[in-house]
């Protein structure tokens, strides 16, 4: 399920903005559509997850949304006119968003402590990241030999195959599905007055949100610089490869050596350098060096945030904290900055990346901590 799901993501995500541009949408319209799609995901994901929990229908929800996303991919390929294109794209955004949430719920719950040694979740999630690379490279080959719409056909096929595999998954244990209660207002208030937690949310909003311009317009930028679709697919995949390396190897080592706040400073500085260089050149060899930095600018910062949240948030509020972090720190910030990116790229072109570098720079004052806070905490064992 994970291989097919993330291969489907990789098949389209690098080329989707370029496809929208080919359909006649301007930079502003592309940014607006991508931002609206992100906002739709913020509604769709918790809604589907809540239905799955209340009805104990995780596999059914997962399969139905996968089929809907596959049909929407075909609809985008066949859409004629802006209205039809917008409608199909937003329907697919609504259908795609819950797939990772529900599949993660099934994977994590089924693989508890008793079997974690034998079937660790990181390897399952890592297989998805590797499949994303395969999907991106495959799409680059397809685009070079056919057309951009071939990426949508590939995604539709992969998602349909995923839906067919969902019945093979074991159901959610009854003891878990009956323990879902909505967080109390006091719990959210307690988190909003937790300074360390808010610090992490704001840093994530700035640094992870700064990736919005790259995610939305990198392929357009590369295409204008003469980088072909096949090379673009490989370049996009190297970013995911860097992410995999950090998640499995470099990230835990860096956290143990420098501590979570030190790693967040490192991730922020690398992000500033990455976006600054991107503003001035898209030469293929330089881009090949910048893309793997995604492992530091995204994965390392995310791992650091998870460590800090685990330390400063009570266990009873862990799920609520993750929802606030994911929605505000990543979701809402990405939506707003994706919308802004369309205007910036349309007005300034590649120099818009300098705005993202400045955005990351704003996170540095938030990370000024005492030396004791920046120091590694080796006594706590390996991260996560």
């Amino acid at each position: 399920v994970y291989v097919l799901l993330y291969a489907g993501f990789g098949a389209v995500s690098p080329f989707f903005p370029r496809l929208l541009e080919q359909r006649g949408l301007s930079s502003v319209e592309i940014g607006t559509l991508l931002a609206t799609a992100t906002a739709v995901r913020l509604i769709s994901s918790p809604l589907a997850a809540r239905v799955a929990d209340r009805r104990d229908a995780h596999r059914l929800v997962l399969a139905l949304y996968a089929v809907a996303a596959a049909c929407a991919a075909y609809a985008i390929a066949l859409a004629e006119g802006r209205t039809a294109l917008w409608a199909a794209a937003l329907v697919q955004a609504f259908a795609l968003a819950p797939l990772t949430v529900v599949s993660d719920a099934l994977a994590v719950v089924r693989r508890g402590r008793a079997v974690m040694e034998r079937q660790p979740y990181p390897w399952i999630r890592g297989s998805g990241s590797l499949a994303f690379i395969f999907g991106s490279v495959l799409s680059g080959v397809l685009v070079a030999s056919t057309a951009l719409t071939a990426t949508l056909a590939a995604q539709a096929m992969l998602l349909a195959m995923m839906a067919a595999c969902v019945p093979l998954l074991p159901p959610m244990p009854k003891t878990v599905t009956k323990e879902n209660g909505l967080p109390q207002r006091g719990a959210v208030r307690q988190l909003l007055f937790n300074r360390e937690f808010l610090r992490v949310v704001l840093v994530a909003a700035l640094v992870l949100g700064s990736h919005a311009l790259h995610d939305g317009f990198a392929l357009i930028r590369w295409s204008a610089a003469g980088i072909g679709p096949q090379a673009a697919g490989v370049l996009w995949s190297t970013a995911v490869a860097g992410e995999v390396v950090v998640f499995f190897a470099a990230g835990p080592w860096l956290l143990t050596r420098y501590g979570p706040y030190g790693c967040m400073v490192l991730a922020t500085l690398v992000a500033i350098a990455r976006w600054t260089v991107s503003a001035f050149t898209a030469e293929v060899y330089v881009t090949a060096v910048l893309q793997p930095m995604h492992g530091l600018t995204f994965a390392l910062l995310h791992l650091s945030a998870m460590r800090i949240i685990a330390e400063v948030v009570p266990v009873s509020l862990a799920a609520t904290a993750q929802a606030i972090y994911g929605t505000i720190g990543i979701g809402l910030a990405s939506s707003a900055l994706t919308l802004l990116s369309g205007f910036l790229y349309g007005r300034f072109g590649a120099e818009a990346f300098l705005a993202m570098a400045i955005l990351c720079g704003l996170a540095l004052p938030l990370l000024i901590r005492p030396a004791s806070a920046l120091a590694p905490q080796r006594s706590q064992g390996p991260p996560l």
Side-chain angles (χ1 to χ4, degrees):
V1 166
Y2 270 72
V3 166
L4 293 169
L5 173 59
Y6 281 89
F9 287 153
V12 169
S13 60
F15 300 98
F16 192 59
R18 178 72 182 91
L19 185 144
L20 295 177
E21 184 186 51
Q22 191 180 76
R23 293 291 182 89
L25 271 64
S26 66
S27 297
V28 173
E29 289 175 320
I30 292 172
T32 304
L33 176 55
L34 295 178
T36 305
T38 302
V40 167
R41 293 187 185 97
L42 297 179
I43 299 172
S44 169
S45 187
L47 176 63
R50 194 61 190 158
V51 170
D53 285 339
R54 285 183 171 177
R55 302 296 182 183
D56 190 18
H58 298 80
R59 293 181 298 174
L60 178 61
V61 168
L62 189 61
L64 289 178
Y65 274 80
V67 170
C71 294
Y74 275 121
I76 295 173
L78 299 175
E80 296 182 1
R82 280 175 167 76
T83 301
L85 182 61
W86 267 75
L90 294 182
V91 168
Q92 193 192 41
F94 189 91
L96 281 176
L99 298 184
T100 54
V101 174
V102 179
S103 59
D104 277 349
L106 285 166
V108 172
V109 171
R110 290 299 301 180
R111 289 156 179 81
R113 293 180 181 178
V115 295
M116 186 61 73
E117 293 295 328
R118 182 166 52 88
Q119 289 182 313
Y121 171 75
W123 286 98
I124 299 171
R125 179 59 181 83
S127 68
S129 295
L130 293 174
F132 185 97
I133 298 174
F134 171 78
S136 297
V137 175
L138 174 63
S139 288
V141 175
L142 288 175
V143 171
S145 59
T146 56
L148 283 169
T149 52
T151 62
L152 293 166
Q155 184 184 68
M157 180 185 68
L158 290 166
L159 292 176
M161 293 170 62
M162 172 197 163
C165 292
V166 168
L168 301 176
L169 296 175
M172 186 75 76
K174 301 292 184 181
T175 55
V176 173
T177 58
K178 292 180 180 179
E179 293 176 358
N180 295 296
L182 291 174
Q184 299 177 355
R185 293 182 181 179
V188 177
R189 180 181 177 85
Q190 182 177 345
L191 287 174
L192 295 180
F193 280 90
N194 186 323
R195 292 185 178 181
E196 295 305 311
F197 174 70
L198 291 181
R199 187 192 309 272
V200 171
V201 171
L202 289 174
V203 170
L206 292 168
V207 180
L208 299 183
S210 72
H211 290 69
L213 179 63
H214 174 272
D215 295 344
F217 295 94
L219 199 73
I220 295 174
R221 161 77 161 140
W222 298 346
S223 178
I227 298 176
Q230 194 165 354
V234 174
L235 287 171
W236 196 275
S237 299
T238 59
V240 183
E243 177 183 324
V244 172
V245 170
V246 170
F247 274 134
F248 287 130
W253 180 82
L254 288 169
L255 278 170
T256 301
R257 184 172 180 83
Y258 299 109
Y261 285 105
C263 287
M264 292 184 87
V265 171
L266 173 61
T268 302
L269 291 174
V270 173
I272 293 172
R274 183 185 180 189
W275 305 140
T276 300
V277 175
S278 297
F280 295 102
T281 180
E283 205 273 334
V284 65
Y285 295 107
V286 176
T287 305
V289 174
L290 294 178
Q291 282 298 96
M293 291 183 181
H294 183 75
L296 297 175
T297 62
F298 170 75
L300 182 61
L301 190 134
H302 181 67
L303 285 177
S304 303
M306 292 298 99
R307 165 65 76 87
I308 296 171
I309 290 174
E311 292 175 353
V312 303
V313 173
V315 175
S316 59
L317 300 178
T320 305
Q322 292 293 340
I324 295 174
Y325 168 82
T327 301
I328 299 176
I330 300 176
L332 289 180
S334 296
S335 179
L337 288 170
T338 299
L339 180 61
L340 178 62
S341 295
F343 290 96
L344 289 175
Y345 193 84
R347 176 67 176 81
F348 300 104
E351 293 180 357
F353 280 103
L354 291 175
M356 299 299 104
I358 294 172
L359 202 66
C360 293
L362 296 177
L364 288 176
L366 298 172
L367 293 171
I368 297 176
R369 306 284 297 148
S372 59
L374 289 170
Q377 302 176 8
R378 292 185 176 87
S379 61
Q380 295 186 1
L384 302 182

